[in-house]
């Protein structure tokens, strides 16, 4: 068992194993998406707090510690660390995409300077690391990230963050469409439920990315 055979959907059940992944540090970036204060705030409603408890447990016990370690590894090895966050430029959110204006869970009004829109400290930027601000699910759509990656000579992107079935999936698909090699680190990601997380990983694996563990990705470095 391992990344070459795990996380396969119907489409790839019988496919050959992929070739070994080789990452060159100067041409690789680690992109951490949307680990922001707002998503780590306990709901006021006790019933909602109980409903979301497994997500918060995974974030604090798995995703955040593993992501911080992955960032430290990347920095130590000369891999560019990049951050993406959801935040609007206008206080009233007029600049948001339609998906962030619709009622329900995806409704987000996060002015860029407000505390809840900031990246969680434990996985925050260091030095001059790039932070892109987006009002869309994809970290590429509507930001200059695509151009920045190309200008820096990046060809492979390691992806971590939340939510697996939303902004992670959208960003991964956009990166793949732009012909970047994409690796998604399973134990550095989360969706609202484990079921959503695992289902989306199977959907995107081998089509738009390769799904790996944080231990496995560290073995890909040339």
């Amino acid at each position: 068992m391992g990344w070459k055979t795990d996380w396969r959907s119907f489409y790839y059940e019988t496919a050959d194993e992929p070739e070994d992944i080789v990452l060159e540090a100067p041409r690789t970036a680690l992109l951490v998406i949307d680990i922001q204060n707002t998503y780590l705030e306990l709901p006021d409603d006790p019933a909602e707090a109980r409903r979301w408890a497994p997500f918060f447990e995974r974030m604090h016990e798995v995703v955040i510690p593993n992501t911080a370690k992955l960032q430290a590894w990347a920095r130590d090895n000369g891999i560019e660390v990049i951050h993406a966050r959801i935040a609007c430029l206008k206080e009233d959110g007029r600049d948001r995409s339609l998906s962030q204006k619709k009622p329900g869970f995806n409704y987000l009004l996060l002015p860029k300077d407000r505390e809840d829109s900031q990246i969680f400290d434990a996985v925050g930027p260091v030095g001059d690391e790039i932070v892109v601000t987006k009002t869309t699910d994809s970290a590429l759509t509507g930001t200059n990230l695509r151009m920045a990656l190309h200008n820096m000579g990046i060809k492979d992107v390691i992806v971590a963050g939340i939510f697996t079935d939303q902004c992670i999936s959208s960003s991964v698909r956009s990166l793949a469409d732009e012909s970047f090699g994409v690796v998604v680190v399973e134990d550095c990601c989360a969706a609202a439920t484990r079921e959503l997380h695992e289902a989306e990983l199977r959907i995107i694996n081998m089509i738009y990315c390769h799904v790996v563990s944080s231990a496995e990705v560290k073995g890909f470095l040339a």
Side-chain angles (χ1 to χ4, degrees):
M1 300 290 286
W3 71 270
K4 291 191 177 187
T5 54
D6 293 345
W7 304 109
R8 293 202 176 201
S9 69
F10 175 88
Y11 300 107
Y12 286 92
E13 282 178 353
T14 60
D16 293 338
E17 290 188 5
E19 295 180 0
D20 292 344
I21 297 172
V22 178
L23 301 176
E24 303 171 54
R27 305 191 70 186
T28 302
L30 168 59
L31 174 63
V32 180
I33 299 172
D34 296 355
I35 302 182
Q36 296 170 246
N37 293 333
T38 188
Y39 292 121
L40 296 166
E41 296 171 347
L42 284 171
D44 293 330
D45 180 357
E48 276 297 283
R50 286 192 298 271
R51 203 167 72 95
W52 280 89
F55 169 77
F56 291 120
E57 180 178 350
R58 178 172 173 83
M59 288 302 295
H60 288 292
E61 295 186 7
V62 178
V63 174
I64 291 171
N66 285 345
T67 300
K69 291 174 186 175
L70 191 64
Q71 289 174 321
W73 167 80
R75 291 168 183 136
D76 288 345
N77 285 279
I79 293 172
E80 191 72 35
V81 177
I82 299 175
H83 311 259
R85 67 173 180 131
I86 296 172
C88 52
L89 304 178
K90 299 292 291 182
E91 288 290 320
D92 63 3
R94 282 178 293 153
D95 56 307
R96 294 172 296 169
S97 63
L98 179 59
S99 65
Q100 292 181 10
K101 293 176 182 176
K102 289 183 176 179
F105 174 73
N106 278 355
Y107 177 85
L108 287 169
L109 179 57
L110 292 171
K112 62 183 177 61
D113 296 324
R114 209 167 66 190
E115 183 61 25
D116 56 351
S117 77
Q118 306 308 309
I119 296 169
F120 192 67
D121 281 345
V123 292
V126 173
D128 66 347
E129 291 174 355
I130 292 171
V131 179
V132 295
T133 296
K134 61 192 181 74
T135 55
T136 55
D137 276 14
S138 169
L140 270 72
T141 303
T143 75
N144 69 340
L145 180 57
R146 177 190 295 102
M147 182 170 64
L149 292 171
H150 282 303
N151 288 350
M152 293 189 295
I154 300 298
K155 70 180 186 71
D156 293 296
V157 182
I158 303 165
V159 177
I162 55 176
F163 288 89
T164 313
D165 56 324
Q166 298 187 21
C167 294
I168 297 296
S169 180
S170 292
S171 299
V172 164
R173 291 163 187 258
S174 293
L175 287 163
D177 283 346
E178 294 289 332
S179 296
F180 292 99
V182 186
V183 174
V184 173
V185 186
E186 183 277 328
D187 53 337
C188 292
C189 295
T193 69
R194 185 74 185 180
E195 291 77 14
L196 288 170
H197 171 71
E198 293 185 356
E200 189 62 36
L201 291 179
R202 289 186 173 89
I203 289 169
I204 60 177
N205 184 46
M206 294 187 71
I207 303 178
Y208 306 106
C209 65
H210 288 297
V211 176
V212 307
S213 69
S214 56
E216 287 171 327
V217 75
K218 294 172 185 177
F220 299 157
L221 197 59

